Amino acid sequence: MDWLFVPFEVSFVARALWAGTLVSSICALVGTWVVLRGMAFLGDAMSHGMLPGVALASLLGGNLLLGAALSAGAMTLGVTALGRSSRLSQDTAIGLLFVGMLSLGVIIVSHSQSFAVDLTGFLFGDVLAVRGQDLGYLAAALVVAAWVSALGHRSFVALAFDPRKAQTLGLRPRLAHACLLGLITLAIVASFHVVGTLLVFSLLIAPPAAAVLWVDRIPAIMLVAALIGTAATVIGLVGSWHWGTAAGATISAAAVALFFLSALGAEIRHRMRRISTTTGE
């Protein structure tokens, strides 16, 4: 079993494990609502929408997290504002903002001849470069995500399953939707420097989607999703260590692989139950 534990004897790999665990927990809390609400496209668009802020911050020598937060915040406000138009579907608004923000980011990047390395880090992350300070930020983001999820639980549930009923019950679905967008922004901004914007989507979607196949209650979905995300982190880091692959991408691939294994297991369980029911009759 030495092959499993040896990587984590190195300090930066151990920090990467803690970072991946914290990111998995954040994404489990937020991703559960994304999956139940059917907002996967929005999550993908917002992860790409951070590029202008990160690119501009890099060119100006500013804080990349701050640039990402401002850009993601602008994306959130844009989605909220355009979503209020009864003549424009939310998918259309998201698509327009997605293309616009991505184009702006590429334009900014094109002005720098030395942005290739930074862009690679933005897209794919560098989980092995996580510092102790980053762990503190992730822990704070997890506390905020848990607090908002608990505070808005009733409204989020109503919004996910019956927005009209939420309006009838006075749960203010528009405000709940705005808070949910804020949670997605928090998760993406907090996680992008660990696994990158192109890969954070996997931790945000794959573990909750896998958990939904096995459990029904929302708190249970969040817990199982966090465990699956943590397992993907361990598998990804160990695989990266022994195979010499990119750590963030390997974690992402492990998360997606665990989803497909979960889907296969759920399908086998469903067929066995159907056969058992048929035999019992």
Side-chain angles (χ1 to χ4, degrees):
M1 294 293 289
D2 288 345
W3 61 271
L4 179 60
F5 297 105
V6 165
F8 302 108
E9 294 177 359
V10 181
S11 60
F12 63 83
V13 181
R15 285 196 300 271
L17 175 60
W18 279 107
T21 300
L22 289 170
V23 169
S24 297
S25 299
I26 296 170
C27 289
L29 288 171
V30 180
T32 296
W33 299 117
V34 172
V35 170
L36 294 177
R37 185 81 171 85
M39 301 172 68
F41 177 50
L42 174 61
D44 187 30
M46 289 185 65
S47 66
H48 288 77
M50 291 191 304
L51 180 57
V54 173
L56 195 59
S58 178
L59 291 176
L60 298 177
N63 186 290
L64 296 185
L65 277 176
L66 179 59
L70 292 175
S71 189
M75 185 82 175
T76 300
L77 292 175
V79 170
T80 302
L82 291 178
R84 292 178 179 176
S85 173
S86 59
R87 303 177 63 181
L88 196 64
S89 69
Q90 187 178 46
D91 282 349
T92 301
I94 294 170
L96 289 171
L97 287 169
F98 176 26
V99 174
M101 295 291 279
L102 190 59
S103 300
L104 179 60
V106 172
I107 290 172
I108 296 174
V109 169
S110 67
H111 279 280
S112 174
Q113 298 179 353
S114 61
F115 198 79
V117 175
D118 293 332
L119 182 58
T120 300
F122 170 78
L123 295 176
F124 301 105
D126 191 1
V127 67
L128 298 179
V130 171
R131 303 165 298 174
Q133 185 180 14
D134 296 325
L135 295 179
Y137 292 148
L138 289 173
L142 176 58
V143 170
V144 173
W147 179 73
V148 174
S149 293
L151 194 65
H153 180 82
R154 187 163 175 259
S155 297
F156 291 158
V157 171
L159 183 67
F161 295 103
D162 194 343
R164 292 184 179 180
K165 187 174 182 180
Q167 181 71 43
T168 303
L169 295 174
L171 295 177
R172 304 179 68 181
R174 287 188 177 180
L175 178 60
H177 182 70
C179 290
L180 191 53
L181 290 179
L183 273 179
I184 296 172
T185 302
L186 174 67
I188 292 174
V189 171
S191 306
F192 91 93
H193 67 297
V194 177
V195 293
T197 58
L198 291 181
L199 303 176
V200 67
F201 189 62
S202 65
L203 286 180
L204 192 66
I205 300 300
V212 165
L213 299 173
W214 294 92
V215 291
D216 297 325
R217 299 181 67 251
I218 290 176
I221 293 173
M222 292 177 173
L223 176 59
V224 173
L227 293 175
I228 292 174
T230 300
T233 299
V234 173
I235 294 170
L237 289 174
V238 172
S240 172
W241 177 271
H242 292 292
W243 300 331
T245 55
T250 310
I251 292 172
S252 176
V256 175
L258 288 175
F259 164 75
F260 283 112
L261 287 174
S262 178
L264 178 62
E267 179 62 22
I268 293 173
R269 181 187 63 168
H270 174 70
R271 291 189 178 185
M272 290 181 65
R273 284 183 175 178
R274 188 168 57 185
I275 292 173
S276 178
T277 302
T278 303
T279 304
E281 292 177 352

